[in-house]
Amino acid sequence: MSGATTGKTNTPHYKVLLVDDDVFSRRLLERYMRSMPVSVTHAEDGLQALAQIVADPPDLVLLDVNMPVMDGLETLREIRSSPRFARLPVVSVSSNTEKELVMRLVELGLSGFLVKPLKPSDTIARLKSALQHVLPSTEEGQPAASSLASRPGLLLVDTDPDFREFARPLLQARFELTEAESGVGGLQAAMRLHPAVIWVSETVQMPGAWAVARQLRESPARPRPRVFLLRDGAGAAPAPDPLFDGVIVRRLTAEAFERELREAGLAEAPVQEAVRVLVRERLLPELVGATRQVLGVMTSQEVEPLQAGWTPRDGQLDCTVPLLLDGGGTAVRVRLLADAAGAAGLAAGAGAGTPAELMCRLVDAVAGRVRGSLSEHGLRFEQGEAAATSRLEPAEWDVAAAFRTAGGADVCVALRVGNA
Amino acid sequence: MTAPAALRSLADQMGMDFVQELLEDFHADAPWRMEEMSAAIGTGDCTRAARAAHTLGSMVLTLGFDELGRLCRELETALGGGGCAHLSPRAEQAAALLDEALATTGRLRAGA
């Protein structure tokens, strides 16, 4: 039902599944949602909820924690174990605000909290906020964010069928490959598929390769793809062109082609490249949400994203947790950075031990969420020990987001993909 | 007992019709939750009694009957620890407070 519109107002209509054995709480929440564009169904325990989620996927689940038969924690774990519903928004409804429980729920990918007793203004504001973050469903009625390719996309725009045929198996070994024969076709595919990498041959016309690259650069779509110019092998080495991220020379032997990929930075271990693209393109919103929740819960402070970003200062405290890919040489380092004064303020507010101890606890919880997100893409990571260091140099990262707590502490969370 | 501030606040924010519906639910649900808790304590079914205390607590705290709400939470915690025969006096105290709450809200319903 979500994603459908009421013809006159074009207002999205959302399906909400309310899971609570307490009829009084259910009715109360239903009444709070009366003015919202929702249709509400209910379940009395986790098992009923799971059956209903499968039979008629909702857009949002409001989940009581303390229930008979199957409690909220177990229900959320079951929901998240299904790739189809790994990203289904779930908001807990509970009077239990013990941090241990809350952290377990957060690690399982909880989207938000409603705390009983349910006060009207706060509850309505949180429900509206939760609905604003609900993604529209697909036409088939599935939650939209359930399946994502784990390999980066590559769009090959080239007029030469022989080269495309030669390159196809070599590229398909690493990328989700899409092909186009013209500049127009390439632009259309780029706008539709948002590939991570685009090769545009200098032979394409209407528009030509430089016009295609310019349009892609000017496109508001983010993240911007890496665009390479594909040119013939004959002649001198090409000069760097600011419109392109690099030049790929046509090579017609597999060995030379592999060398070309490596020199272009496209042939690191395929999985590592896939993880990096995944981190850059998909994980940032989840990282922001998870960090905000974890910071808010563990420091008991309102936390707002810093729109202007954050410039690391000297003397920052850097706490890092490595996530190590099972059976592979890839690591995703989840790091939390704050200047020394900010970290000390957070620790004092949270009643924790040292700033480093608090930061390690925070980053440990965030890393748990990141690990869960990666597992949704079929990538199993082992979580290592959190370690704190004082850094003098700015850290490097693939994606980062910064926050400011109500107490004025700035915190930056970052992910870096590299070798284990 | 006068109407709790939470109930007045609910009426201010959501309207009296909303409160009337809520009180209707309260009068329909709360008595049998209390009976369920007392009966479960009597038979030694602490899990069932704790669940009833939990539900009753949420209900009365929503309406602003804080003393009863706190007592329900205490009972829920004590029942969760196992062994419930000694909790009958506390359950009776809760039943008395619930009677007062029902009487107070009953007057509100009648006055509507």
Side-chain angles (χ1 to χ4, degrees), chain A residues 221-352:
Chain A
R222 291 290 182 274
R224 198 180 66 77
R226 298 168 72 193
V227 184
F228 291 83
L229 177 66
L230 180 62
R231 65 185 299 273
D232 284 337
D241 188 315
L243 272 179
F244 294 94
D245 293 282
V247 174
I248 302 289
V249 178
R250 287 179 203 276
R251 304 290 183 190
L252 294 176
T253 68
E255 187 181 358
F257 189 86
E258 288 288 324
R259 192 168 58 243
E260 198 67 25
L261 287 176
R262 280 197 300 276
E263 288 173 2
L266 295 171
E268 61 185 348
V271 171
Q272 186 165 317
E273 173 66 10
V275 171
R276 177 165 288 125
V277 171
L278 184 67
V279 163
R280 283 181 177 155
E281 297 190 1
R282 304 288 189 181
L283 256 57
L284 184 56
E286 292 180 27
L287 185 67
V288 170
T291 307
R292 194 174 178 185
Q293 280 185 350
V294 167
L295 278 172
V297 168
M298 293 184 67
T299 67
S300 302
Q301 291 186 16
E302 291 294 319
V303 179
E304 293 299 330
L306 280 174
Q307 299 302 327
W310 184 64
T311 304
R313 287 172 285 193
D314 285 349
Q316 66 210 338
L317 190 59
D318 176 347
C319 292
T320 300
V321 170
L323 298 175
L324 307 171
L325 186 65
D326 271 3
T330 300
V332 175
R333 288 182 171 76
V334 184
R335 54 205 321 170
L336 202 65
L337 302 102
D339 61 87
L346 284 176

Side-chain angles (χ1 to χ4, degrees), chain A residues 372-412:
Chain A
S373 297
L374 289 166
S375 72
E376 291 169 17
H377 302 282
L379 297 164
R380 292 184 56 82
F381 281 79
E382 288 298 318
Q383 188 163 337
E385 292 285 320
T389 54
S390 293
R391 296 179 60 91
L392 294 176
E393 298 298 324
E396 291 183 349
W397 44 61
D398 285 293
V399 294
F403 303 86
R404 178 163 292 164
T405 69
D410 289 355
V411 178
C412 180

Side-chain angles (χ1 to χ4, degrees), chain A residues 3 57 70 78 81 132 193 219 239 242 282 327 343 378 389:
Chain A
M70 180 185 280
E78 287 296 321
S81 72
Q132 280 171 358
L193 301 170
S219 164
R282 304 288 189 181
T389 54

Side-chain angles (χ1 to χ4, degrees), chain A residues 99 298-300 343-362:
Chain A
K99 281 189 176 170
M298 293 184 67
T299 67
S300 302
L346 284 176
T354 65
E357 286 169 354
L358 173 72
M359 293 278 282
C360 284
R361 282 175 56 199
L362 290 169

Side-chain angles (χ1 to χ4, degrees), chain A residues 21-25 27-28 31-32 34 64 66-69 94-96 116-121 124, chain B residues 6 9-10 13-14 18 21-23 25-26 28-29 33 51 54-55 58-63 73 76:
Chain A
D21 62 312
D22 174 11
V23 67
F24 183 85
S25 290
R27 288 183 188 149
L28 182 63
R31 288 179 183 128
Y32 283 151
R34 265 182 191 161
D64 184 26
N66 189 336
M67 290 185 297
V69 185
S94 179
S95 57
N96 188 342
K116 291 180 180 177
L118 298 163
K119 307 292 183 193
S121 55
I124 290 170
Chain B
S9 173
L10 269 172
Q13 293 181 60
M14 302 299 295
F18 178 94
E21 289 174 354
L22 215 55
L23 294 181
D25 289 346
F26 177 57
D29 296 344
R33 289 286 182 186
R51 192 168 305 286
H54 173 82
T55 304
S58 290
M59 204 182 300
V60 298
L61 285 170
T62 299
L63 300 177
R73 292 285 182 254
E76 181 188 353

